[in-house]
Amino acid sequence: IHNHPGPENFYWNPDTVLAAVKGRSPLLGVCADVGHYVRSGLDPVEVLKKLEGRVLALHFKDLNDKSPQAHDVPWGTGISNAKGMLAELQRQKFKGVFCIEYEHNWENSGPEIAQCVKFWNDAVAELAKEVSQSAIVPAAGAQNHTVVTVEVKNRPDDKVPVAYHAKTVGGLAGFTPQPEPAHSDYGG
């Protein structure tokens, strides 16, 4: 279930989502668009806590403002508490998909998306240090993975998704970009 800003959209409120999935398979969950939670006046960290166990994927964003007109800014530079969201997902041992859905500055968003990836690298490295300093050690041979997908969808001639794989240790950890072979989900 994917949320959009509320209250005019049915699934804007996490309580509505939880009611819809209650008693159903854990395979039925949420593609949480954290920017839409902020646009709806909700705290995205608190929403992620509430949805624990049901978040399968994220449209991860940081916004410039808490309003319906807010726009994307590079992760870590806005008001969405990007680091707090990553820390919460680490606490949950999240193993789903992160998508950079960057919908601002359409004609030249590449540098801003690169800033998001840099923030990711720095933030997950810092969170990994915090985990290792707290003596949380994963089981021997643990092979958890989180996938970060960067999808550029601003121009018809530049719609080739690139996936980056982040090997995780008990949740989020160090990030090693490994672009997959060029392919397109848009028929190319």
Side-chain angles (χ1 to χ4, degrees), residues 123-185:
V124 296
E126 187 177 325
L127 289 168
K129 280 184 195 174
E130 292 170 11
V131 168
S132 66
Q133 290 171 355
S134 66
I136 297 174
V137 180
Q143 294 289 322
N144 298 329
H145 285 84
T146 299
V147 177
V148 178
T149 301
V150 180
E151 183 176 350
V152 181
K153 58 182 187 177
N154 54 336
R155 294 180 299 263
D157 61 339
D158 195 10
K159 292 184 177 182
V160 179
V162 178
Y164 292 89
H165 299 280
K167 189 170 184 178
T168 64
V169 179
L172 301 173
F175 176 77
T176 306
Q178 299 173 351
E180 291 182 347
H183 67 281
S184 174
D185 292 336

Side-chain angles (χ1 to χ4, degrees), residues 32-60:
D33 190 317
V34 297
H36 290 330
Y37 293 133
V38 174
R39 288 183 181 105
S40 299
L42 302 174
D43 178 336
V45 175
E46 293 304 314
V47 172
L48 291 173
K49 287 178 183 178
K50 184 175 271 198
L51 294 173
E52 184 170 355
R54 288 296 188 167
V55 179
L56 305 176
L58 293 119
H59 288 183
F60 202 81

Side-chain angles (χ1 to χ4, degrees), residues 1-14 16-17 20:
I1 298 174
H2 180 70
N3 60 297
H4 280 267
E8 63 277 357
N9 291 293
F10 189 70
Y11 290 115
W12 76 274
N13 187 319
T16 305
V17 173

Side-chain angles (χ1 to χ4, degrees), residues 53 62 103 183:
D62 204 348
E103 300 173 304
H183 67 281

Side-chain angles (χ1 to χ4, degrees), residues 6-93:
E8 63 277 357
N9 291 293
F10 189 70
Y11 290 115
W12 76 274
N13 187 319
D15 293 327
T16 305
V17 173
L18 289 173
V21 300
K22 184 177 181 180
R24 297 179 185 261
S25 166
L27 298 176
L28 181 61
V30 179
C31 175
D33 190 317
V34 297
H36 290 330
Y37 293 133
V38 174
R39 288 183 181 105
S40 299
L42 302 174
D43 178 336
V45 175
E46 293 304 314
V47 172
L48 291 173
K49 287 178 183 178
K50 184 175 271 198
L51 294 173
E52 184 170 355
R54 288 296 188 167
V55 179
L56 305 176
L58 293 119
H59 288 183
F60 202 81
K61 298 177 181 177
D62 204 348
L63 301 181
N64 69 323
D65 187 32
K66 285 187 177 183
S67 75
Q69 295 77 30
H71 66 77
D72 298 303
V73 295
W75 296 357
T77 67
I79 53 87
S80 303
N81 191 6
K83 177 113 185 271
M85 288 187 283
L86 292 177
E88 174 55 25
L89 292 163
Q90 179 186 39
R91 183 196 67 76
Q92 293 182 24
K93 296 179 176 43

